[in-house]
Amino acid sequence: MFYLLYLYYADIAQEYPLLHLIQYQTVRVALAMATAMIVAVAMGSRFINWIRAKQGRGQPIREDGPVSHLSKVGTPTMGGLMILAGIGVAVFLWGDLTNPYIWIVSGVTAAFGVLGFIDDYAKVTKQTSAGLTSKQKLAAQAVVAVIAGILTVVWMTYSPTSPGLETSIAFPFLKAVLLNIGWFYVAFAAFTIIGFSNAVNLTDGLDGLAIVPVMMAAGAFGIISYLVGNFVFAEYLQVHHVPGSGELAIFCAAMIGGGMGFLWYNAPPAKIFMGDTGSLALGGALGSIAVATKHELVLGIVGGLFVVEAASVMIQVGYFKLTGKRIFLMAPIHHHFEKMGWPESTVVIRFWIVAAMLALLGLATLKLR
């Protein structure tokens, strides 16, 4: 069907030469970003009013959290639906729907979005900050992530990539260095997707804190996708060429556009929260894009802020179980700084600065080899 649509478009393009511009990825990147932003902003107030009426008291606020958060009571959640709607429309209009990577990343994003929606729904209906159990979420994420890992490996096996690249781990700052772990790579890919999904989820605790670093990471991986997918640029930069991965730049642009549209309403004081609907989906999307472009370890640099947030929780829990004491005043670490007396806006903006520096450092790995 998509091939027939392509032929139909080719015939129209002959009559209207301006449409030839749409063939260029850079043009479609701009169009995807604009489309996703317009969709998210257009949903805006009507969606927020509708979901507030449905949710009543909104997202439950942690009772042991900072006192300043009590003013957020009644704010609706599931704002991630605005972002996902923008991404979906933009990718459908401007993405190459014959590209397997687009479908794999979209599938992970949609599945994690559904899982996050179920979790948010449970929280809202039960009016508790605990939705699905961690075991339930991890089990569902594992199934989706393993399938995505297998599909990525299978597709790379039958595409014109370097031999063994499909089951290998590439290392930043080192050229032509690959660690081939065979089919154990599927477990590594799943760990990357699940780990980053939950890391973004843990970071989403303050107004605008998660969405801007997600947009920065998406911007970095949009560039990485474009360069890795282009043989000439990949050869020049001495990175591994992954044919077809350049199309993921469209998806990354849609993430940025949808994020900007959502931030319009999530900027302090937030009118709506992203919820697990958005955070799990966006984290999963970034993880699967990193797997598709063979830059899994670079994701740990680009998204270093999310890694630190997740690590702070694991350290806090582990240390408490061993000693009965806490290292941080509260975890994730952004709450630690709030407990220290930093205003919420100060924490958010300083974390944005750190995220921007890490995104630039991640991009630097493309040249420093």
Side-chain angles (χ1 to χ4, degrees), residues 1-337:
M1 182 182 71
F2 296 125
Y3 180 69
L4 293 176
L5 289 174
Y6 173 79
L7 293 177
Y8 178 70
Y9 161 77
D11 291 337
I12 296 178
Q14 294 297 324
E15 298 181 21
Y16 302 96
L18 191 62
L19 290 178
H20 282 294
L21 290 174
I22 300 177
Q23 297 179 25
Y24 297 102
Q25 285 184 347
T26 49
V27 173
R28 290 187 289 120
V29 161
L31 290 171
M33 188 182 301
T35 299
M37 183 179 67
I38 291 171
V39 170
V41 171
M43 289 180 68
S45 299
R46 291 184 179 180
F47 175 77
I48 293 172
N49 292 334
W50 176 79
I51 206 162
R52 180 184 287 115
K54 292 292 183 179
Q55 293 181 1
R57 288 182 288 176
Q59 176 171 301
I61 306 298
R62 287 178 61 176
E63 296 179 357
D64 60 340
V67 177
S68 60
H69 287 208
L70 296 178
S71 62
K72 301 175 185 288
V73 173
T75 305
T77 186
M78 299 184 186
L81 291 172
M82 299 166 64
I83 306 172
L84 297 180
I87 293 173
V89 173
V91 171
F92 178 77
L93 289 177
W94 310 116
D96 178 4
L97 299 184
T98 64
N99 186 296
Y101 295 121
I102 286 289
W103 284 103
I104 293 171
V105 174
S106 297
V108 171
T109 306
F112 279 28
V114 170
L115 177 62
F117 178 87
I118 295 171
D119 193 34
D120 284 335
Y121 184 80
K123 291 176 182 177
V124 171
T125 53
K126 298 176 183 177
Q127 276 301 298
T128 173
S129 57
L132 298 176
T133 66
S134 57
K135 290 183 179 179
Q136 289 173 326
K137 284 194 284 189
L138 282 175
Q141 287 175 316
V143 171
V144 175
V146 167
I147 293 174
I150 292 173
L151 291 175
T152 302
V153 169
V154 170
W155 174 250
M156 284 189 179
T157 301
Y158 293 101
S159 63
T161 57
S162 302
L165 180 63
E166 66 276 3
T167 55
S168 296
I169 302 172
F171 293 87
F173 302 110
L174 301 174
K175 59 183 178 181
V177 177
L178 289 173
L179 176 62
N180 195 328
I181 57 176
W183 280 96
F184 286 107
Y185 177 80
V186 172
F188 175 74
F191 174 80
T192 300
I193 296 170
I194 296 170
F196 213 75
S197 175
N198 288 302
V200 174
N201 180 237
L202 290 170
T203 306
D204 183 33
L206 303 178
D207 297 351
L209 177 59
I211 189 59
V212 172
V214 163
M215 290 160 58
M216 292 176 181
F221 267 90
I223 296 172
I224 291 172
S225 299
Y226 179 77
L227 296 176
V228 169
N230 185 296
F231 177 79
V232 175
F233 288 135
E235 188 74 11
Y236 171 72
L237 294 169
Q238 297 184 341
V239 296
H240 301 286
H241 174 50
V242 182
S245 63
E247 197 65 23
L248 291 175
I250 310 300
F251 196 99
C252 291
M255 288 178 65
I256 296 172
M260 288 192 293
F262 171 73
L263 185 61
W264 185 265
Y265 301 98
N266 186 240
K271 295 182 179 180
I272 190 168
F273 296 141
M274 183 192 304
D276 289 5
T277 305
S279 59
L280 290 180
L282 295 177
L286 288 171
S288 54
I289 290 170
V291 169
T293 56
K294 307 305 295 183
H295 277 67
E296 305 91 346
L297 298 183
V298 173
L299 178 62
I301 301 174
V302 170
L305 176 68
F306 302 114
V307 175
V308 170
E309 290 272 17
S312 70
V313 174
M314 291 186 286
I315 292 170
Q316 182 88 320
V317 173
Y319 190 76
F320 184 79
K321 287 183 177 179
L322 288 174
T323 66
K325 299 179 181 179
R326 293 178 172 85
I327 294 179
F328 305 106
L329 297 176
M330 186 178 178
I333 198 169
H334 57 260
H335 290 318
H336 170 79
F337 290 109

